[in-house]
Amino acid sequence: MSDFGIYVHWPFCAAKCPYCDFNSHVRASFDESLWANAIVRELEWVKTAQGNAVPEVASVFFGGGTPSLMSGKSTATILDSIARLWPMTKGAEITLEANPASADAAHFRDYRSAGVNRVSLGVQALNDADLKFLGRLHDVAEAKAALKMAMAAFDRVSLDLIYARPRQTAKAWRAELAEALAFGTDHLSLYQLTIEPATPFATLAREGALVIPDDDSAAALFELTQEMSEAAGRPAYEISNHARPGQECRHNLIYWRYGDYAGVGPGAHGRLVLNGERVATAAERLPERWQEKVAREGHGYVELQRIGDSDAAREHLLMNLRLSEGFDLADYEARWAVSLDRSRIADLAETDLVRLEKGRLAATARGRLVLNSVIAALAA
Ligand SMILES: C[S@@+](CC[C@H](N)C(=O)[O-])C[C@H]1O[C@@H](n2cnc3c(N)ncnc32)[C@H](O)[C@@H]1O
Ligand code: SF4
């Protein structure tokens, strides 16, 4: 059985960043323990629905929203219930996403006592003007202080940066990324700014008030990112994720290797075997509505859909090709009883978009940049 992970979505943020379309909400006040208890109830529902096939938990990921707004107590309540419900892999990875604006040393110590052993910090930019533009509540000094505290409290720390910002030159990004790499975290998530529909940035972009780098400039920044992180010993193992070998985020590897994971909390998605069937789950996004549904039905899922083999084959391809390691083609074809057209693979290899070596098919860095068209060509 492949690794099994649990994603816990904490849907609240102190303020909404204008670029972000994650399921995050700002609330003046709420009773945190009610939310933690509702998450525990949903976990119990998932465990019961799994029936007799009880997988071992290799990873738990608190994502958001801003999980670092949670107390250590709520984190412990949730982790204790996971350990009560499932066997845990020894040394399981337990990650919590933190925002520098809500990070303090006491909080980090509480998370560590609760069982968290990895923190992912949303630094986003290393100059104050851009942090302001991104609507962040912290400045560079606060981000660096939070990073220092995180690195003192945890062996495994990752940081997020957003690049390809308006007017960002290669020279500026080179200097910023060099500084970020010099902090010495073993993992970095380096995302290109994307304009998500129905965000304030989408409105500004439509009005012409916000212009992101064109495709060629963004591709040049992507290439630079690959080269610099590789030279610094943290090569890309996924489109936007870079790590020292062995320090990849095990939780995200579960997604990209098309393993099973439960998603709990408002808006969370999951892919797992329930009562013997492979199922896609999606939860109600609005926190209050999700909580009412959990109180009524024991879970907040609005979608519990069986995934047929052909959909699973496509999803598997979509996820696995994000990884630089790719996947074993024969295993993939046997698992889903499909066959990928060898002449299409050869054509894509010819144009340096994929690589087929020792039976493993992988997208190249160039191919990962245009993954949707690579997948369309392969799955046609
Ligand atoms: C849930 S947040 C991380 C934790 C915390 N909420 C924070 O922002 O500090 C996930 C990450 O996705 C990235 N992200 C969100 N929206 C994005 C966008 N439109 N373009 C690029 N990256 C984005 C940011 O780097 C962010 O840190
Ligand atoms: S980027 Fe993070 S802090 Fe900002 S709105 Fe999204 S989830 Fe919240």
Side-chain angles (χ1 to χ4, degrees), residues 13 17 19-22 63-67 97-100 120-124 136 138 160-162 189 191-196:
C13 289
C17 305
Y19 54 85
C20 177
D21 79 340
F22 284 61
T66 303
E97 282 184 339
N99 184 317
S120 171
L121 190 70
V123 171
Q124 318 306 5
R136 302 293 291 182
H138 56 89
D160 291 354
L161 288 179
I162 298 179
S189 299
Y191 301 109
Q192 287 191 43
L193 176 61
T194 40
I195 302 300
E196 303 291 352

Side-chain angles (χ1 to χ4, degrees), residues 292-306:
E292 283 162 21
K293 196 167 156 62
V294 174
R296 255 192 342 264
E297 300 169 39
H299 69 83
Y301 297 120
V302 287
E303 187 187 313
L304 285 163
Q305 181 124 30
R306 189 182 158 270

Side-chain angles (χ1 to χ4, degrees), residues 323-366:
L323 288 172
S324 53
E325 68 179 19
F327 59 92
D328 187 284
L329 187 53
D331 286 352
Y332 169 82
E333 293 185 327
R335 180 170 179 193
W336 304 116
V338 290
S339 154
L340 295 184
D341 186 332
R342 296 302 186 270
S343 66
R344 289 223 177 87
I345 293 178
D347 289 347
L348 291 166
E350 186 80 11
T351 44
D352 189 32
L353 293 173
V354 302
R355 199 174 40 236
L356 181 59
E357 267 170 22
K358 298 189 182 138
R360 291 189 79 81
L361 181 66
T364 60
R366 237 170 70 81

Side-chain angles (χ1 to χ4, degrees), residues 126-144:
L126 288 170
N127 75 69
D128 284 340
D130 281 4
L131 283 176
K132 200 161 177 209
F133 162 74
L134 290 170
R136 302 293 291 182
L137 296 178
H138 56 89
D139 60 16
V140 175
E142 283 165 311
K144 285 183 179 169

Side-chain angles (χ1 to χ4, degrees), residues 7-28:
Y7 174 78
V8 180
H9 191 78
W10 191 256
F12 304 113
C13 289
K16 185 84 193 173
C17 305
Y19 54 85
C20 177
D21 79 340
F22 284 61
N23 189 34
S24 59
H25 305 264
V26 180
R27 298 288 182 265

